Amino acid sequence: MKQIQYQRVHHSGGGPQGVTDCMNAAFKAEEHGFKPGSRIYFAVDYDAVDEEVTSHILPYFRSIKEEMDQLGSPYKIGVYGPRNACARISAEGYAGTSFVSDMSSGFSGNLGYAMPENWAFDQIVTKVVGSGDGRIEIDNNIASGRDTGQGSFYPAPAQKLDIGFDLDYWAGLLQEADDYMESIGRPGGTGYVYTRQECLETIMNYDAAITSAARRYRMRKALIQTSAFWEFCHYSYKDTAEDAGVVLYHTGVIPDWGKDLPGVTRLVDSSTGIAKVSGRTAILSRNNSIRSGLLESDILDSASDDDRWTMWQKSNQDNLFNLSTVPHLHIWGADGKQGDIHEETPQRRPALDYTDTETFEILRRYQGFGDQAVADAQLRMPLYAIFEKYNSIVRGS
């Protein structure tokens, strides 16, 4: 069993340009309302000979693929370029479809090479349309049907979207968050696995993915940061024991482990990982987003031991997957549910203009219902304000 890892995220190579280009492209796509699953084509807009494809182009696209994975895979990747470059990049798994620049018939990367099997568009000729002042040149392309494009978009946001964190503010954020948690005695006593600084460093190491999710789903990233940081700080040795029980049960080592514990039948599931997400809640929240068209994946059965075990392992072993589930939990916490018990209006999905009341309610729902959930949500509101303070400074509003 792989436990939560306190680690710094890094890329295995490919240079910084691919990382920068991927992040800029994804953030701009989110800003302009492109929905998750849309495809972004990255260009090889010159005659890259085969040796250059090996030495420069493949590492560049590898870094794009790695960065898109780190962002939570919000968009699919395509490649625009000569046949050889498209085919080789696609063969490595770095692009799903190709936009072939066949119009450049003299390119060595087109001469003698077959069309890539995954071609979506083929750029064949430049033609002139119109006349006079309206005369323009256009590229005439043919389509295979592998990529049908995007037909609907999210509306442009009225408020500024969050952007990546500025490390110049790291010391201030750490100091305020740590001081606040210390002032409320959370977590208190011994028995906790990670220090508060380790927890915050881990959350901020995934800032790009958190930022991307917040932009994509039009919520404040402070919602994701607050829930994840709070839960990670409270990850205890009791949690590690429960995680071990889940593994023992599902691997058949001790199928009835935990059956004699008060209130416990079998440890078939547990709240695990950075944000303490159980297999069941991960399935239910992600199913809700899949049905809403916010996420592309398979519907799983939350009552199935096999499906819960599959989802639990992802939540336990993959920090990025665990964190990427948090916004779906917040969306699921609002979708189709009434607001606070004193209100009659339905709870809105998390939004950029959430009120303090709505923020409190959605933070409370992350932990469920009852007095303890309410009390903890009250304690998390000042923490939310700390994260939002620095996020608002960075985004300029």
Side-chain angles (χ1 to χ4, degrees):
M1 177 184 61
K2 182 179 179 183
Q3 294 291 346
I4 300 171
Q5 293 185 353
Y6 163 60
Q7 60 186 13
R8 292 192 177 276
V9 180
H10 64 279
H11 299 282
S12 62
Q17 191 61 53
V19 173
T20 300
D21 290 352
C22 179
M23 185 178 296
N24 286 339
F27 280 13
K28 283 299 180 181
E30 290 154 359
E31 190 174 307
H32 290 292
F34 282 86
K35 294 182 178 180
S38 301
R39 193 177 301 277
I40 299 174
Y41 287 86
F42 295 85
V44 183
D45 202 7
Y46 79 106
D47 187 15
V49 299
D50 197 56
E51 292 80 3
E52 289 177 315
V53 174
T54 300
S55 63
H56 292 83
I57 307 302
L58 288 180
Y60 172 76
F61 271 85
R62 180 174 65 245
S63 65
I64 288 173
K65 176 65 164 59
E66 290 177 348
E67 180 62 17
M68 195 68 82
D69 289 343
Q70 288 296 322
L71 293 177
S73 302
Y75 298 108
K76 298 174 183 176
I77 298 171
V79 53
Y80 169 88
R83 293 183 177 193
N84 181 44
C86 287
R88 291 195 59 192
I89 291 163
S90 300
E92 293 293 334
Y94 301 150
T97 58
S98 297
F99 193 144
V100 183
S101 56
D102 261 339
M103 187 175 66
S104 302
S105 56
F107 275 10
S108 62
N110 284 328
L111 293 172
Y113 290 99
M115 282 285 283
E117 294 182 0
N118 68 348
W119 75 274
F121 304 102
D122 188 12
Q123 187 183 47
I124 57 174
V125 69
T126 296
K127 61 188 297 185
V128 175
V129 296
S131 61
D133 292 339
R135 183 180 184 274
I136 60 171
E137 285 189 352
I138 64 169
D139 292 338
N140 189 24
N141 307 312
I142 57 176
S144 68
R146 290 186 175 89
D147 184 354
T148 57
Q150 173 123 5
S152 62
F153 301 83
Y154 294 132
Q159 296 82 23
K160 286 186 177 181
L161 299 175
D162 282 306
I163 61 175
F165 188 70
D166 185 340
L167 289 177
D168 288 345
Y169 296 101
W170 163 250
L173 172 62
L174 174 61
Q175 187 69 55
E176 288 196 40
D178 191 62
D179 285 351
Y180 174 70
M181 296 296 279
E182 180 70 25
S183 73
I184 62 173
R186 291 297 189 97
T190 59
Y192 295 94
V193 180
Y194 302 100
T195 68
R196 291 190 291 263
Q197 179 168 336
E198 288 174 337
C199 293
L200 187 59
E201 285 179 344
T202 301
I203 301 302
M204 299 309 292
N205 280 334
Y206 290 92
D207 182 66
I210 292 173
T211 303
S212 179
R215 292 169 65 90
R216 192 157 67 249
Y217 302 122
R218 300 296 197 260
M219 67 177 68
R220 286 297 172 213
K221 62 191 283 189
L223 272 180
I224 305 171
Q225 293 167 321
T226 301
S227 293
F229 177 63
W230 179 271
E231 296 297 337
F232 200 20
C233 284
H234 289 83
Y235 190 78
S236 67
Y237 290 106
K238 177 177 180 292
D239 291 309
T240 64
E242 291 179 351
D243 287 349
V246 173
V247 175
L248 293 173
Y249 169 75
H250 284 285
T251 57
V253 176
I254 310 178
D256 289 330
W257 196 96
K259 69 176 183 178
D260 295 325
L261 296 177
V264 176
T265 304
R266 289 183 179 89
L267 281 172
V268 300
D269 202 355
S270 66
S271 297
T272 192
I274 291 178
K276 298 181 73 171
V277 180
S278 70
R280 177 180 178 274
T281 55
I283 289 173
L284 290 172
S285 60
R286 285 178 170 268
N287 282 354
N288 178 72
S289 289
I290 293 167
R291 294 188 179 102
S292 300
L294 301 176
L295 184 66
E296 286 190 351
S297 191
D298 297 325
I299 296 289
L300 299 181
D301 182 0
S302 63
S304 163
D305 264 13
D306 288 342
D307 284 356
R308 287 173 73 170
W309 172 232
T310 296
M311 191 63 79
W312 184 92
Q313 289 179 90
K314 290 182 180 180
S315 294
N316 174 264
Q317 298 174 15
D318 188 337
N319 292 346
L320 179 61
F321 181 86
N322 191 291
L323 282 172
S324 71
T325 302
V326 176
H328 298 295
L329 277 165
H330 285 320
I331 292 168
W332 178 55
D335 271 355
K337 300 176 178 67
Q338 289 299 111
D340 183 83
I341 57 174
H342 301 300
E343 300 176 5
E344 296 181 356
T345 57
Q347 178 83 21
R348 289 192 301 161
R349 281 184 184 175
L352 299 174
D353 61 347
Y354 243 23
T355 65
D356 286 346
T357 299
E358 290 172 310
T359 298
F360 171 84
E361 182 69 5
I362 214 68
L363 289 175
R364 190 273 298 166
R365 290 178 185 210
Y366 194 90
Q367 287 186 270
F369 296 87
D371 293 343
Q372 187 62 56
V374 171
D376 281 352
Q378 290 170 340
L379 292 175
R380 278 178 288 160
M381 284 297 289
L383 186 61
Y384 174 89
I386 293 171
F387 281 116
E388 175 56 15
K389 168 188 171 180
Y390 285 94
N391 292 339
S392 66
I393 291 173
V394 173
R395 70 174 181 263
S397 66

